[in-house]
Amino acid sequence: NIVTASSTTTLTNKTLTAPVMTSVDINSGAIDGTAIGANSTSTGVFSSIETEGALTEDAQAITSSAGAATLDLSSATNFTHTLSENVTYTFSNPAASGKASAFTFKVTQDSTARTIAWPASVDWAGGTAPTISTGSGDVDYYVFITTDGGTNYYGFTAGQALATPA
C-alpha cells in the first residue's frame, strides 16, 4: 500500500509490507507503544532501533575535480571513489561534538598509479598515513570515526590491494 498526501497523513494501527520510506516526518506518536518524536522535520531521535534481517545502506560514489574531492558525512556513511587523477580529500559535515560520525571509504586505483592526500585532521596508527596500492584496479578500504565534530578523525586501513575475486 502506498500512502501519499499533500500535507499530513496519520496512520493508526497500519502495517506496511516491505515499505520503502524516502521522506518521513515523525513529530509525535508511538511505535509498538514506544513514544517517538522529532526535533526537526529531518531528524528523529530514537533511544534504540532494532531490525530483523539485513540492514542495507547506499554507498555514495564521489568524483574529484581539479584534484579535490569531498566526502559529505551528512549524505552517506559509505563512500566509493575510482581515482582518475591525484586527489586531496576533504571530510565535511560530521556530527556535532559528543556524537559519532563513522564511515567507510573504498578507493579504487585506475590504470595509472594515482596519489591521494588525506585531511590533516586524520590520525593514523603510528602517525603515518598508509601508502595506497598502485596496481591497476587495486582496491583499498578505509574506516574513519570522529566524536569531536571533525576536529580529529581516527583512520584505519581495513584492507589493501584487494582484487576482484575471479
Side-chain angles (χ1 to χ4, degrees), residues 5 7 19-22 29 36 42 63 66 76 79 90 108 120 125 132 135 144 149:
S7 59
V20 175
M21 294 185 219
T22 56
I36 57 174
S42 63
T63 58
F79 298 90
T90 301
T108 305
I132 66 168
F144 298 89

Side-chain angles (χ1 to χ4, degrees), residues 78-96:
N78 299 287
F79 298 90
T80 65
H81 187 206
T82 299
L83 298 173
S84 59
E85 61 182 337
N86 297 335
V87 64
T88 298
Y89 292 112
T90 301
F91 304 155
S92 69
N93 299 314

